[in-house]
Amino acid sequence: LTCDRYPVRRLPFAEVSEEDLAFFERIIPGRVSTDPCELKLGNVDWLKMVRGCSKVLLRPKTTEEVSQILRYCNKRNLAVNPQGGNTGMVGGSVPVFDEIILSTALMNQVISFDTMAGILVCQAGCILEQLNQYVEERDFIMPLDLGAKGSCHIGGNVATNAGGLRFLRYGSLHGTVLGLEVVLADGLVLDCLTSLRKDNTGYDLKQLFIGSEGTLGVITAVSILCPRKPKAVNLAFLGCPGFAEVLKTFSTCKGMLGEILSAYEFMDNKCMQLVENHLRLSNPVKENPFYVLIETSGSNAGHDEEKLTNFLEQVMSSGLVTDGTVATDNTKIKMLWALRERITEALSRDGYVYKYDISLPMEKLYDIVLDIRSRLGQSAKSVVGYGHLGDGNLHLNVTANSYSSSLLKAIEPYVYEWTARHHGSISAEHGLGFKKKDFIGYSKTQEAILLMQQIKGTLDPKGILNPYKTLPSSSS
Ligand code: FAD
Ligand code: MLT
Ligand code: ZN
């Protein structure tokens, strides 16, 4: 399957032997799985598009265990695929051939939480939603949130430099991650797990691992800065008559809600139809070509409500918004967020998904959706646009009844060329993984790619960590 769709050759790594299994069993007794059912889950990605054939899955609990495993694999020339919650969107989290799956599922302990500074230190396998609950009980929140929160691990979030729904307010993990502990390919433990806000002593090595998709080292622990839990959260779900109005509403919103704005997401009406049809969710407002979801988070409920009311009066009276609903209670807030967060799930139920995650200048953001829709005509089932508009990040998705190479050829490299022509990024937040690695040249220069390859060669000379991912195949 994989070889048909993605021509790739297995590199000359060793194959796992009985002696290897016995060695792993000695280091992590009872946590070496060769069970076909468990391996079936670990071998296929969330989108069910990339499938490997690994024969062993390891579940270490400590950094020392990860170190011993990698030291051994490096010596034996065994390839390793680090895996967190396996919710990645670009096929980076699953083996391509028989790489050993190194799962962080049992590395799920909180190490410390500083209630004064809001700094959380935890193992890489902690689930994002559970961490959020943990810090909420202490009056803080995690600086990131995404639809996969119930499954994804903080280590996986850092490894992909996940963006998500709070990026607009709290920024990138490159800013909120204060420290990392990483095990390098040869087993060396790199301790950069500081909790300092300021530390300009030499190169900031941790930044190399944020977004490195498991190709440079295995992240074993994370130190992260958490914002205070807002006292008041308001959510507005609004219908807009056109994309120009979506943009003008954003601009108005920045001006009128400024410091309390915590999310500005958009979805088109085709997305709404998909969540209605496949998930039985209902549209809370009048049907419109576009919908926006605006969240405010602040410290004074009365003050925030007044600001939001003034803003809503302004956008409704000027015709930027034709209908809307507002939520302040948790149940309704969750219900409205589901309309946006569950689009990914609805798309998967619609058929085979061609997924694009691009950064573009905001005013061009929807042009590419219209362009692709007319280019593909009847050959596509749905062509939809949604995403983190406030961050200039579009999710362009195309579905079809089944995979078709001619449809793929009609979309790629056209989408990438279009994006590069407008100086965008061909992967805004999902990374390159296995599926997008050969398109890196549309967003990075040859010099930058060469330096990346040199860094990879220095940190992982045998290339055992997540081979076939992120960097282009040497032939391309
Ligand atoms: P995995 O999928 O297991 O792994 C992802 C990559 O990281 C792989 O290359 C893997 O090898 C590597 N990796 C994992 N753990 C480690 C580790 N400890 N050390 C080194 N490498 C490691 N992404 C966004 O940016 N924004 C979103 O809003 C968003 N929403 C999503 C919604 C849904 C419903 C889904 C299914 C996915 C979404 N994603 C989003 C994709 C996103 O990349 C992941 O959800 C998340 O960040 C990956 O975490 P994970 O633990 O599942 O990692
Ligand atoms: C999202 O924003 O919903 C995620 O990045 C997942 C997706 O692109 O479908
Ligand atoms: Zn996203």
Side-chain angles (χ1 to χ4, degrees):
L1 187 81
T2 302
C3 295
D4 282 356
R5 284 184 200 166
Y6 310 99
V8 53
R9 229 168 358 102
R10 186 185 182 283
L11 293 170
F13 295 110
E15 285 179 37
V16 177
S17 66
E18 286 302 320
E19 293 80 64
D20 297 328
L21 291 178
F23 177 83
F24 295 138
E25 191 56 43
R26 275 201 301 281
I27 305 176
I28 49 169
R31 289 177 277 130
V32 178
S33 178
T34 51
D35 173 45
C37 293
E38 283 185 344
L39 283 164
K40 207 172 161 191
L41 293 175
N43 268 315
V44 67
D45 69 330
W46 192 93
L47 289 165
K48 299 202 168 29
M49 283 179 192
V50 181
R51 188 161 307 175
C53 53
S54 177
K55 293 177 185 61
V56 57
L57 186 150
L58 306 177
R59 288 194 186 86
K61 282 186 178 168
T62 66
T63 303
E64 181 49 32
E65 289 172 352
V66 174
S67 166
Q68 286 186 47
I69 291 167
L70 288 189
R71 193 177 315 130
Y72 180 84
C73 290
N74 196 47
K75 267 198 204 118
R76 276 276 296 126
N77 199 29
L78 289 164
V80 177
N81 186 147
Q83 188 174 83
N86 197 7
T87 64
M89 298 267 101
V90 287
S93 54
V94 290
V96 178
F97 294 99
D98 55 347
E99 299 88 276
I100 292 170
I101 302 173
L102 182 68
S103 163
T104 51
L106 299 181
M107 302 186 73
N108 54 7
Q109 300 299 307
V110 168
I111 298 167
S112 66
F113 185 66
D114 178 338
T115 48
M116 174 66 83
I119 297 167
L120 173 75
V121 183
C122 65
Q123 282 191 297
C126 293
I127 290 174
L128 179 62
E129 190 167 48
Q130 292 175 3
L131 287 179
N132 199 58
Q133 262 160 26
Y134 177 93
V135 297
E136 272 206 23
E137 283 160 17
R138 290 152 181 84
D139 218 17
F140 286 83
I141 57 169
M142 291 299 283
L144 79 160
D145 183 25
L146 41 121
K149 60 186 138 241
S151 312
C152 63
H153 297 184
I154 190 70
N157 297 147
V158 173
T160 54
N161 187 24
L165 310 163
R166 290 181 185 159
F167 186 100
L168 176 75
R169 176 70 164 267
Y170 303 114
S172 153
L173 289 170
H174 281 293
T176 51
V177 170
L178 302 180
L180 288 182
E181 179 188 69
V182 182
V183 181
L184 301 186
D186 63 0
L188 185 117
V189 179
L190 186 67
D191 182 355
C192 298
L193 197 61
T194 58
S195 292
L196 303 168
R197 292 297 308 277
K198 301 182 85 173
D199 177 19
N200 283 349
T201 50
Y203 305 135
D204 190 357
L205 293 178
K206 70 168 184 288
Q207 299 295 354
L208 261 183
F209 301 93
I210 303 175
S212 65
E213 302 183 89
T215 61
L216 297 181
V218 174
I219 297 164
T220 46
V222 176
S223 165
I224 190 164
L225 183 64
C226 301
R228 276 306 276 265
K229 185 179 171 184
K231 290 195 175 61
V233 176
N234 293 294
L235 202 65
F237 193 90
L238 313 174
C240 290
F243 193 69
E245 286 78 5
V246 169
L247 292 179
K248 281 192 195 127
T249 303
F250 179 59
S251 172
T252 311
C253 175
K254 289 271 275 187
M256 296 185 73
L257 299 175
E259 73 288 354
I260 59 168
L261 181 64
S262 53
Y264 192 98
E265 297 283 318
F266 94 103
M267 58 197 270
D268 62 17
N269 194 35
K270 292 232 180 256
C271 291
M272 181 60 86
Q273 287 163 0
L274 291 178
V275 294
E276 285 180 319
N277 295 341
H278 296 298
L279 307 174
R280 300 275 153 231
L281 302 182
S282 50
N283 182 353
V285 298
K286 221 171 58 196
E287 188 170 358
N288 263 279
F290 293 94
Y291 304 92
V292 299
L293 203 148
I294 299 171
E295 188 192 71
T296 65
S297 303
S299 57
N300 183 322
H303 168 254
D304 293 3
E305 212 179 297
E306 191 188 324
K307 280 192 149 195
L308 187 62
T309 308
N310 288 342
F311 161 75
L312 290 173
E313 270 170 21
Q314 167 73 28
V315 288
M316 297 206 59
S317 63
S318 58
L320 295 179
V321 165
T322 61
D323 192 21
T325 181
V326 175
T328 44
D329 70 283
N330 229 346
T331 316
K332 190 167 174 196
I333 286 180
K334 281 208 168 112
M335 190 267 282
L336 293 179
W337 263 118
L339 291 162
R340 161 66 186 90
E341 286 186 39
R342 295 185 66 193
I343 297 169
T344 318
E345 197 184 327
L347 280 160
S348 289
R349 296 196 192 190
D350 201 49
Y352 185 91
V353 187
Y354 301 83
K355 199 166 254 302
Y356 302 93
D357 160 40
I358 54 191
S359 276
L360 280 172
M362 234 174 252
E363 59 285 1
K364 289 269 170 252
L365 208 73
Y366 203 71
D367 288 359
I368 190 166
V369 181
L370 297 174
D371 189 334
I372 289 286
R373 198 173 280 151
S374 75
R375 180 178 168 86
L376 301 182
Q378 295 303 310
S379 56
K381 196 171 171 191
S382 314
V383 177
V384 308
Y386 59 99
H388 316 289
L389 186 125
D391 310 316
N393 180 185
L394 169 77
H395 293 312
L396 159 68
N397 284 231
V398 176
T399 69
N401 285 329
S402 58
Y403 170 77
S404 139
S405 59
S406 61
L407 185 55
L408 181 65
K409 281 198 191 98
I411 310 174
E412 296 180 16
Y414 185 82
V415 165
Y416 301 129
E417 287 165 356
W418 205 105
T419 306
R421 208 168 42 247
H422 294 93
H423 312 290
S425 167
I426 64 128
S427 179
E429 59 170 9
H430 293 164
L432 297 168
F434 179 59
K435 290 185 353 197
K436 309 263 160 105
K437 68 186 172 110
D438 289 325
F439 304 110
I440 188 173
Y442 286 99
S443 291
K444 289 288 181 311
T445 64
Q446 282 314 307
E447 292 77 12
I449 297 166
L450 183 63
L451 188 54
M452 290 185 206
Q453 280 161 334
Q454 287 167 348
I455 292 170
K456 168 76 176 172
T458 303
L459 293 184
D460 179 16
K462 290 186 169 179
I464 62 158
L465 281 178
N466 231 1
Y468 326 107
K469 315 280 173 63
T470 310
L471 295 175
S473 333
S474 37
S475 54
S476 56

